[in-house]
Structures are given as structure tokens and as C-alpha cells.
Amino acid sequence: MKLELIRSYFPNGTNGILQNAKGIICYTIELPWLNNEVRKSCIPEGKYVLAKRYSQKFGWHIWLKDVQNRTYILMHPANNAKKELLGCIAPVTSLGGAGIGWESKKAFNKVKDLVYQAIDKGQKVELVIRSEM
């Protein structure tokens, strides 16, 4: 299964649209692009394999594997990128500004269910991140 994240970059955060072949799944928020600086920047555009992961902090969430110069880049709930993210991606139901979103847990559960179902069926799940054209 292939997911696509189409980003728009702003000085205070990065917003995106997460979609698959059927259409828009949700929106996303991330930190601004600061040259892939650890814990301060969103990750580089590219293709990433998604995997299931569990931690006490986030419970079951999504891990983006093999991110250049970064470790444990995750997809997990958050509504304010600058206050709640350290390079990760947060699905949100709606956008409220650059790096700000609403109802993240609802959007995250939708994405997690979709990704986990595919993984459970033995499918490879890839996320392609690119900017708006």
C-alpha cells in the first residue's frame, strides 16, 4: 500500500495532506523545515517504509523506518507541532494554522487502522513525502 503526504512549508510549521489511491485520509502537522536538524525539523522528503511500534508514551503508533540521520521518527497524535513534536508527523482532522491542527487522536486512529490492516495482511506500506507542485 502506498500513502502520499503532500506538504506545504511555513516558517512556524509544516502542514500536509495525507492521501492514498482512494483520496484524502486526513491532514498532517509537522515542525518547520530546518535542514533535517534533529528534534527541530521535519524530516526530508522521500520514501519511507511504515511499521507498527509500541511505546509506553504513545501506545501503538506508526514508525517511519530508515529516516536519514534520524531515529524513531513516528506518526502519533499531536495538535501543536512546536509544543508536541520532535520531528514526528501528527495526523489531524483539520488545520488551524502552520503546525497547528485539531482532533489529532481521531485522525491518527483512522490512519493507524488503515496502516495496521495492510501490515496484518502482509502488505508493505510506504509513505512518499513531497511538496506541493
Side-chain angles (χ1 to χ4, degrees), residues 47-74:
K47 186 189 297 186
Y48 303 97
V49 174
L50 303 183
K52 292 180 174 184
R53 185 171 183 276
Y54 180 86
S55 72
Q56 288 201 321
K57 181 175 183 178
F58 297 115
W60 285 102
H61 53 273
I62 299 166
W63 174 34
L64 284 73
K65 297 173 79 172
D66 302 321
V67 177
Q68 178 185 352
N69 300 320
R70 305 290 279 276
T71 57
Y72 295 110
I73 297 298
L74 312 173

Side-chain angles (χ1 to χ4, degrees), residues 1-99:
M1 179 173 72
K2 179 179 165 185
L3 301 177
E4 186 174 45
L5 175 56
I6 303 166
R7 286 179 171 163
S8 298
Y9 298 96
F10 303 98
N12 291 320
T14 300
N15 294 347
I17 297 171
L18 184 65
Q19 60 190 22
N20 62 11
K22 295 180 181 179
I24 295 173
I25 300 165
C26 65
Y27 299 95
T28 63
I29 59 169
E30 300 173 74
L31 291 171
W33 173 248
L34 297 171
N35 298 309
N36 199 29
E37 192 173 336
V38 175
R39 302 174 74 92
K40 294 182 181 178
S41 174
C42 60
I43 63 172
E45 294 180 9
K47 186 189 297 186
Y48 303 97
V49 174
L50 303 183
K52 292 180 174 184
R53 185 171 183 276
Y54 180 86
S55 72
Q56 288 201 321
K57 181 175 183 178
F58 297 115
W60 285 102
H61 53 273
I62 299 166
W63 174 34
L64 284 73
K65 297 173 79 172
D66 302 321
V67 177
Q68 178 185 352
N69 300 320
R70 305 290 279 276
T71 57
Y72 295 110
I73 297 298
L74 312 173
M75 193 176 290
H76 64 78
N79 291 304
N80 184 313
K82 285 201 168 185
K83 292 181 180 178
E84 300 174 86
L85 298 177
L86 297 172
C88 297
I89 301 170
V92 294
T93 301
S94 59
L95 295 168

Side-chain angles (χ1 to χ4, degrees), residues 121-132:
K121 290 178 184 175
Q123 296 178 25
K124 181 179 182 180
V125 181
E126 293 181 323
L127 174 65
V128 176
I129 302 174
R130 65 176 179 84
S131 57
E132 281 186 305

